[in-house]
Amino acid sequence: MSQIQQIKDATDIVQLVGERIKLIRSGGSYKALCPFHSEKTPSFFVSEQLQRYRCFGCDETGDVLDFLQKYDGMTFAEALQYLSERTGIKLQEFQRSPEDDLRERLLEVLHLAKEYYHYLLVSHQVGKKARAYLKDRKISTASIELFQLGYAPPGWDGLIKYLHQKKKYSLEDIQKTGLILRGAGGKYYDRFRGRLMFPLKDHRGRVVGFSGRLLEADPKEAKYINTPETMVYHKSQLLYGLKELFAEIKKKEEVIVVEGEFDVISSAQAHINQIVAIKGSALTREQVKLLARSVKKIILSLDADEAGAAAMRRAIEVVGDTDMELRVIDLSSLEKGQKDVDELVRTNPEEWRKLAETSVSVYEFLLNLSLRHHDPTTPEGKRAIVKAVGPIFGQIPHAVERDFYLKKLAETLAVSLDVLMQDVERISRGAAANRPAAETAPAEEISGGRREKLEKYALFLLFSVKEFAQKLAVLQEIPLKSTGFLQILEAFAAKKPQDKADLRILTAGLGEDLKQILFDAVYAPQFQNMQKTFQPEKEWSQTLSALKKEIAREKIEVLQAAIASLEQKAKRTEKEETALSGLLRKVVELQRQLH
Ligand SMILES: [Zn+2]
């Protein structure tokens, strides 16, 4: 047995998927809302017996290795490595690429750096000032542990000494993590100095970079600096706090998006712990994709200025056609000094909790923002407001919601809806001309004729009827047309099956392609749904007879075509005459079978 198979066999896909998304038992399998497309009723199935998953909505399908690659964003090698560690089965022959090795080393370096900074913060004399600073900001010991905060001392080469001299990592490797820089004279030095350190973790919990905040104000240095883009750190994919607070975020099915690390930590301390921070002010598609797996609602809490409004318009676009709801925490009513979430939580946690609960729709927020800047009673003001929010409202995906906001806008401006719509359409047309056409995938049609459907149903029924072995033999007598069916039945027969079908035993050693075909029949939702009332034995005999009739009908069609072509001939040879009467006899015989 190959190592890959061995590792797969030792892993339970139901357990692994269940650790990531909520699975509900359903008949012989488990179902869930699909993590790969957005939907309201579950069409994603995981089979314990086949050890595969399949979405009947978007057609995503695969085994446990495919799932890790698609859901966790691992490469094939990483997925295999992950399962090898999980199952304790050591990989021997597997060839890792030099790039895999390098990535692994960089992650090790980053992990060690986190340990180093954390140790200095919590246990070393050099971290005393940083500890006092955190105490002053009311950051608890529990938070320091949860977020693994650290301290980078002011010297030039503390980290280099630790990672290079003590832990023996090469300077080139360390440089590739962004932790150290090379000066003009060719000498390396630490990037982060005299800073409080926030480890940045990816959604799998691996440290991929850092954000460092200057401990003592220095006009020559930036208050915050971050790891630059590296092989493992990608700013656009990072959500600070997602790993640490994942359980809460998943439970509440919503997430508040803020801009700073301290905002996340303080808010979590105030028990508003469904929160993450983004780097920079715009939510990216990658981040939305990550969030779509666990939340239904994204609540933005960004600065209420023009940059914040631009970020919200961008968010509307990226959240776009997902089913997630986009809301905004309106901080504009607060005193000037409190507009910072961290500041607000420290001075007035109750107020923050209230605001978090009373978020407004992003459309409402943009309208209010526009009304603060323009006067809706003057023609110039009306025009500016329509220009700012009209096209956005005109493109709200849900018709009822769209209608609501357009009417609200018309009322606010004291114009008729018709007049407003003329303007909205004109502005949208202008904007659309500058936008590339959206990619649309053609809806895939359900393929297969009547015969394929009957064959699939028969295969499904085989697992519901009594006397499996005998019925299997019956089904094998029928010339099934669907791809792979005969091979599947042959493989079953080779297992010398008992009367009760055990999918797991029957499919052991079956290729993944055949397993997938089987999955489609055995877990097809249209069959599963009617299972409560049906009588399998009766369905079985009806389906088999319908299938035989269908096959006869197809044969008749072929024969009739041959007959027609012979009959069309003006003159037939004797041989042809004999053939024709033979064909006719066959048709009559088949037609008798049909009735
Ligand atoms: Zn799907």
Side-chain angles (χ1 to χ4, degrees), residues 34 36-37 39 43-44 55 57-60:
C34 179
F36 303 114
H37 85 280
E39 61 178 5
S43 46
F44 182 82
C55 173
C58 71
D59 282 339
E60 276 292 346

